[in-house]
Amino acid sequence: MRTPKKNIHFLDNYLLSPTNPIRVNVIGAGGTGSKFMTALMEINHSLLELDHPGLDVHLWDDDIITASNIGRQRFAESERNLYKSQAIINRLNRWAGTNWKAVTRKFERNADGKIPDYTGASIYISCTDTVASRIEINKILQKLSKDYSYHRDNAKYWLDLGNTKFSGQGILSTIGNIDQPTSKKFKTFAKLPSIIEEYGTAMQTSEEQDDTPSCSLAESLAKQDLFINSTIAHLGASLLWNLLKDGMTENRGFFLNLQNFKSQPITVGS
């Protein structure tokens, strides 16, 4: 009896052996984004130790740090009233000697509908909390993949991280098709669907997100459990780390329920 081939996605060929740091855009510096950035610093350091050129990260967020952010998100009392993106980037640059950048604006098109020139990157990580923001990101990425396909930092992957109070998910997708090598051992997949392609209609139908800012930590904890963001961030970082380290993945995401401590992988091809 012939053993069925394992479903695999191979990392984009350039990202497998890059000659320059990989440009990464992280969108959102709140509960998940602030924790993910620390993990990204660890990924960068580990890649450098493996003679990889590392990462060039830009963090996008126009929010200001308030009292409700301190404790659940990775901010200190001394950082209150600073931009979230600047506080995190300044801290990480001092810690790790990096030259990462903070962008104190939303990741969105300009008023005239055009995309800012500096939005280009190979990998996008979204840590936002609304369906509308994900739809906007998806539109930008689709346009970037067409208009900047010749550029070294053309859009290749989108990792979306999201959660409710006790549950969440991470979905890794390709932006367009990624050329795959011929393999006798694996069944390869050039396309990994995005969260919008798979769940966009259901997300728009079921969204009941309360966007009213929390005034205290207690109010924040009523909306999202204390450790849901950090757990989602670390699972997402592990998915990205393994893809960059191994050059391949058999999983394209995960579902998590922190209330019953269950995590379910989303396999390539499923």
Side-chain angles (χ1 to χ4, degrees), residues 25-42:
N25 276 338
V26 178
I27 305 162
T32 302
S34 63
K35 308 291 178 62
F36 187 85
M37 287 299 296
T38 303
L40 206 55
M41 177 190 69
E42 295 170 354

Side-chain angles (χ1 to χ4, degrees), residues 36 43 125 159 161 170 231-241 254:
F36 187 85
I43 290 175
I125 317 289
L159 174 59
L161 305 174
T231 308
I232 292 288
H234 281 94
L235 285 173
S238 181
L239 180 62
L240 178 63
W241 161 245
F254 59 87

Side-chain angles (χ1 to χ4, degrees), residues 28 48 76 114 140 145 161 167 171 195 225 228 231 236 256 262:
L48 292 173
K114 294 183 178 180
I140 291 175
S145 68
L161 305 174
S167 62
I171 306 288
I195 190 169
D225 193 54
I228 184 65
T231 308
L256 170 73
K262 288 186 178 179

Side-chain angles (χ1 to χ4, degrees), residues 22 28 55 81 116 153 156-157 177 208 210 227 234 257 265:
I22 298 172
L55 308 175
N81 297 324
D153 292 325
K156 295 182 175 70
Y157 292 97
N177 292 333
E208 296 179 355
D210 178 11
F227 292 110
H234 281 94
N257 188 319

Side-chain angles (χ1 to χ4, degrees), residues 126-270:
S126 54
C127 307
T128 62
D129 54 10
T130 65
V131 172
S133 63
R134 289 175 169 83
I135 293 174
E136 174 69 3
I137 291 168
N138 182 62
K139 290 178 179 178
I140 291 175
L141 297 188
Q142 295 306 313
K143 185 168 178 57
L144 284 173
S145 68
K146 296 175 182 177
D147 295 351
Y148 292 85
S149 60
Y150 59 88
H151 197 276
R152 173 174 61 85
D153 292 325
N154 65 311
K156 295 182 175 70
Y157 292 97
W158 174 20
L159 174 59
D160 178 74
L161 305 174
N163 66 278
T164 56
K165 184 173 183 178
F166 293 109
S167 62
Q169 75 289 323
I171 306 288
L172 174 69
S173 61
T174 59
I175 304 167
N177 292 333
I178 303 295
D179 291 337
Q180 299 288 287
T182 302
S183 175
K184 294 182 179 180
K185 184 178 180 181
F186 301 113
K187 181 179 180 181
T188 60
F189 287 77
K191 172 69 175 175
L192 304 178
S194 72
I195 190 169
I196 298 299
E197 291 170 319
E198 285 200 291
Y199 307 109
T201 301
M203 289 165 62
Q204 292 181 71
T205 302
S206 63
E207 182 181 35
E208 296 179 355
Q209 178 72 35
D210 178 11
D211 293 327
T212 306
S214 301
C215 296
S216 67
L217 176 58
E219 190 175 336
S220 294
L221 292 173
K223 298 178 181 179
Q224 298 186 66
D225 193 54
L226 182 59
F227 292 110
I228 184 65
N229 297 116
S230 56
T231 308
I232 292 288
H234 281 94
L235 285 173
S238 181
L239 180 62
L240 178 63
W241 161 245
N242 286 314
L243 176 64
L244 294 174
K245 175 175 61 73
D246 299 333
M248 57 191 290
T249 183
E250 59 183 287
N251 297 306
R252 61 181 182 89
F254 59 87
F255 292 113
L256 170 73
N257 188 319
L258 201 57
Q259 212 166 14
N260 57 20
F261 299 98
K262 288 186 178 179
S263 179
Q264 177 68 38
I266 306 172
T267 57
V268 170
S270 64

Side-chain angles (χ1 to χ4, degrees), residues 54-83:
L55 308 175
D56 173 25
V57 180
H58 288 208
L59 176 60
W60 296 68
D61 200 303
D62 67 336
D63 275 353
I64 300 295
I65 299 166
T66 63
S68 65
N69 303 140
I70 299 167
R72 190 177 65 83
Q73 300 181 17
R74 191 144 290 168
F75 300 109
E77 178 65 34
S78 59
E79 295 172 320
R80 191 189 291 202
N81 297 324
L82 299 176
Y83 280 106

